[in-house]
Amino acid sequence: MHRRLAKADDEDASENKFGREFQDAQALLIAEVKVLLDANEEKRLAGDEPMSSASSEIKRKTVDYCARFGRFTDKQTIKEVRQLFPIDQFSQFEAAQLANLGCETAEEAKILIPSLAKRDELDDATLQDLLDQMSTLRKFQNAGMY
C-alpha cells in the first residue's frame, strides 16, 4: 500500500510529474505521430516487408485517428509550432498538449493543462499571443500558404 502512495506522489500531470519511465521521453504532437507512421510505411513498402493483419489494422486505425485529430499537416508548420514553445519555457508535455488540444484562449489552456496555471512567470497575455500565433499557422497551412 505504501509503495502505491509513493508512486502516486511521483506521478501528477498537473505538476509535470510523469514517473521515471517518462523522464527522458518526448511528448509528440498528433501530427508528428502521423509523420512518423507515414515514414515508417514508406520504408516498409520500399523494403517490401509484409505486415501482419493485426498490426496493419492497428496502424490503419492510428493513422486514421492522427489524420482526424492532428491539427497540422505540413512538416514545416509542425516545426514552426514546436518552435513557438521553447523547452526552456514549456515542458514537452505542455507544448504537445497546447498544440494537440488547440486551445483558443489562455483561460481554456490553463484549465485543460493545470501546470500552466501554476506558473507565475507565464502571464495570460503571453500565453494568448502564443495561442494566436499557433492558430495563424494552422489557418495559413490550411489555405495552402505553407
Side-chain angles (χ1 to χ4, degrees), residues 27-37 62-73 78 82 95-97 99-102:
L28 297 175
L29 279 59
I30 293 170
E32 290 172 321
V33 173
K34 183 162 183 334
V35 168
L36 291 172
L37 290 171
T62 304
V63 169
D64 289 349
Y65 176 91
C66 292
R68 181 170 182 188
F69 295 107
R71 299 177 46 78
F72 307 99
T73 56
I78 295 168
R82 270 285 178 194
Q97 291 295 75
N100 289 334
L101 293 172

Side-chain angles (χ1 to χ4, degrees), residues 46-64:
D48 202 31
E49 298 174 25
M51 183 184 287
S52 73
S53 62
S55 293
S56 180
E57 180 66 13
I58 291 168
K59 187 173 183 179
R60 184 191 60 77
K61 287 181 178 183
T62 304
V63 169
D64 289 349

Side-chain angles (χ1 to χ4, degrees), residues 118-137:
K118 295 179 180 183
R119 295 182 29 204
D120 295 330
E121 76 279 3
L122 182 63
D123 62 85
D124 285 357
T126 301
L127 182 55
Q128 187 62 55
D129 182 54
L130 292 170
L131 294 173
D132 291 345
Q133 288 179 52
M134 186 171 57
S135 179
T136 300
L137 286 171

Side-chain angles (χ1 to χ4, degrees), residues 12 30 81 92 140:
D12 183 356
I30 293 170
V81 168
Q92 289 282 333
F140 284 132

